[in-house]
Amino acid sequence: MAQADIIIADEKLLPQAVELYNSMFRPKREVDFFKRRFLGRYNVLTLIARLGEVPVGFWIGFELKPGMFYHWLGAVKPDVRRSGIARQLQEAQQAWAKDHGYEHIRCECLNHQREFIHFAVEVGYDIVGIRWDSTHADNLIVFEKHLVE
Ligand SMILES: CC(C)(COP(=O)(O)OP(=O)(O)OC[C@H]1O[C@@H](n2cnc3c(N)ncnc32)[C@H](O)[C@@H]1OP(=O)(O)O)[C@@H](O)C(=O)NCCC(=O)NCCS
């Protein structure tokens, strides 16, 4: 297990999260794509995981509706996977959401994103739904986790 520093990225640090995104996802996106996605969203939380000074992962969420936080997007650099970095990002996001009064977190992934399915089940999410995503021609798995007893 690697001990990461988990930091909250403000607007100045958002480009670091975007750089991480672009190193792992296609098509590449500009910072403006993220800013556009955040428009009208309440409680946007962007987290960056660093090992030493090196950014190795990001985790982005926002309010979906009152009481429910939504984990939108996140990834960890391939060379440091399976060292507990996503678990630390998820725990930080969950603690933040709980502190801000949310009762549930939801996230989604495509059926072919098996690493994330394993991860989500491991960190305590329930599978609450599945729907066909015609954009990606794949099933989308919907996960939720209760934050309060
Ligand atoms: C999914 C992802 C974020 C996991 O990040 P990570 O830092 O490697 O995850 P962790 O090390 O914190 O894993 C915690 C636990 O989740 C499970 N897990 C994580 N990756 C797994 C894999 N590839 N296969 C099986 N189980 C896995 C394990 O139980 C793991 O604990 P263990 O290593 O002690 O067995 C990472 O693989 C990733 O970025 N994938 C590509 C992007 C992606 O799919 N994003 C999600 C859709 S937006």
Side-chain angles (χ1 to χ4, degrees), residues 4-149:
D5 291 320
I6 308 295
I7 54 168
I8 294 182
D10 57 11
E11 196 167 333
K12 242 173 54 195
L13 283 179
L14 181 61
Q16 279 193 18
V18 175
E19 202 178 318
L20 283 162
Y21 174 90
N22 285 330
S23 71
M24 292 181 269
F25 292 101
R26 290 294 175 273
K28 289 190 178 195
R29 302 291 191 186
E30 302 289 332
V31 172
D32 281 351
F33 169 86
F34 288 82
K35 288 189 176 163
R36 170 80 192 253
R37 188 72 171 87
F38 299 159
L39 276 183
R41 298 283 173 188
Y42 184 56
N43 274 341
V44 174
L45 177 71
T46 301
L47 298 172
I48 293 175
R50 284 185 183 157
L51 288 176
E53 289 303 301
V54 183
V56 292
F58 72 99
W59 222 241
I60 303 178
F62 39 74
E63 178 175 303
L64 185 64
K65 54 188 178 180
M68 184 174 285
F69 199 73
Y70 180 63
H71 169 58
W72 172 48
L73 191 58
V76 170
K77 294 282 259 184
D79 55 336
V80 292
R81 284 183 192 163
R82 299 306 290 268
S83 342
I85 308 286
R87 192 190 287 274
Q88 291 164 65
L89 283 161
Q90 194 276 330
E91 281 170 3
Q93 181 189 60
Q94 180 177 316
W96 189 95
K98 204 171 168 181
D99 278 355
H100 286 75
Y102 294 97
E103 293 162 6
H104 312 272
I105 298 195
R106 179 181 294 179
C107 61
E108 300 172 340
C109 76
L110 294 166
N111 190 43
H112 76 265
Q113 292 174 311
R114 296 304 169 99
E115 298 154 336
F116 191 84
I117 295 176
H118 283 287
F119 171 79
V121 170
E122 169 65 19
V123 300
Y125 277 97
D126 293 320
I127 295 172
V128 297
I130 182 166
R131 69 179 162 82
W132 179 248
D133 181 340
S134 55
T135 311
H136 297 98
D138 197 359
N139 281 311
L140 196 79
I141 318 292
V142 184
F143 300 92
E144 280 181 21
K145 188 171 181 181
H146 293 265
L147 301 181
V148 285
E149 300 307 309

